[in-house]
Amino acid sequence: MIAMYARRQALALLRGSHGVATSAARLGGAPPYLHMPPAPPPEFEPDGSAKKYPLHQPIWDHGYDWEHWSLLPAGVFHTIYYGDFAQDYPPYWAWLQKFPMWVVTPFLTLWAIVTMVVFQNAGSIGIKPKRYTIEWMQATRERERQENTNPVTRYLDRRRSERGGTWIAQYSLPWHPYWVWMSGSHDEDVPEYFQSKPGSPHLHYTDSLSKSFINDE
């Protein structure tokens, strides 16, 4: 009897209750998301003509008339039909957005990467650090020869070369941002490491550790 009475009381409470997420704000609840308010009702002048308000947004007349429509989520259970119009954008953005996104994205990404690399290294143009001169790199190879630096890496590179034509990037690609204007930079303080052309910045897998990189002269 007690259980039945408790069940009846619980059902009675449920009939008069309101869910917080499904009830109107005037009933003590509101959805956990926001909607844009509806458009205001039309307004008229005293003479009966429609009242006009200034549009604080330019309308461009540049010849582009594309429209992009998409469905966007509105809350949990609804969607809105959203449109982009060419007349709302300046000519350069209107021209860019007339192409599909999958066409423009690779070019924009490449442009952004190139621009970042150029601007980040613009302050280094013409700078020639001594550590990147031909003699210093030759001295680095001599130090690595004496210390037997990276023997496992050079062994694995030799094994890869034995399997056929394998291009190893670290022996061919530039490894510092000054390589464009430092191909003929020399350090006269260390003539014993003189070399007419720059070689590998580090030990090559074909270098012999029994032969020094110091010039005999």
Side-chain angles (χ1 to χ4, degrees):
M1 294 294 293
I2 297 177
M4 185 180 297
Y5 179 77
R7 184 171 177 273
R8 288 178 180 176
Q9 292 294 326
L11 291 176
L13 290 176
L14 288 176
R15 290 191 188 99
S17 63
H18 300 280
V20 174
T22 58
S23 301
R26 67 179 184 274
L27 299 178
Y33 47 83
L34 299 177
H35 291 283
M36 297 298 293
E43 300 183 34
F44 302 94
E45 298 288 355
D47 60 355
S49 61
K51 191 173 184 180
K52 297 181 180 179
Y53 290 91
L55 179 63
H56 300 286
Q57 178 180 349
I59 301 297
W60 299 88
D61 186 14
H62 39 48
Y64 299 102
D65 56 356
W66 50 260
E67 298 179 6
H68 294 161
W69 294 91
S70 58
L71 283 174
L72 298 180
V76 179
F77 304 106
H78 302 281
T79 55
I80 56 175
Y81 206 33
Y82 185 84
D84 263 334
F85 302 95
Q87 289 80 6
D88 294 338
Y89 293 92
Y92 45 90
W93 290 128
W95 170 82
L96 188 64
Q97 294 186 71
K98 74 176 183 179
F99 301 102
M101 183 179 295
W102 59 269
V103 174
V104 178
T105 300
F107 291 98
L108 286 180
T109 304
L110 180 62
W111 170 81
I113 293 175
V114 171
T115 303
M116 287 187 293
V117 170
V118 170
F119 275 92
Q120 288 174 355
N121 294 283
S124 302
I125 295 177
I127 303 299
K128 298 180 180 180
K130 180 175 283 191
R131 65 183 180 276
Y132 296 136
T133 56
I134 298 176
E135 286 73 21
W136 273 58
M137 289 193 294
Q138 191 76 345
T140 300
R141 297 172 68 187
E142 172 64 19
R143 177 180 58 81
E144 292 179 353
R145 183 192 70 85
Q146 296 179 10
E147 297 177 355
N148 192 20
T149 306
N150 294 332
V152 177
T153 300
R154 286 183 281 108
Y155 167 75
L156 295 176
D157 292 341
R158 283 195 300 270
R159 293 297 302 271
R160 290 181 61 187
S161 64
E162 293 171 357
R163 301 190 186 116
T166 303
W167 182 73
I168 303 176
Q170 67 175 346
Y171 298 112
S172 303
L173 297 179
W175 61 283
H176 62 81
Y178 313 96
W179 63 274
V180 178
W181 52 85
M182 289 197 65
S183 58
S185 300
H186 295 274
D187 183 11
E188 299 178 355
D189 296 336
V190 282
E192 62 272 19
Y193 292 106
F194 175 81
Q195 201 176 17
S196 59
K197 295 181 179 179
S200 176
H202 300 284
L203 280 180
H204 198 274
Y205 64 89
T206 58
D207 292 333
S208 174
L209 298 185
S210 61
K211 182 181 178 180
S212 175
F213 292 99
I214 302 177
N215 297 328
D216 297 333
E217 300 178 2

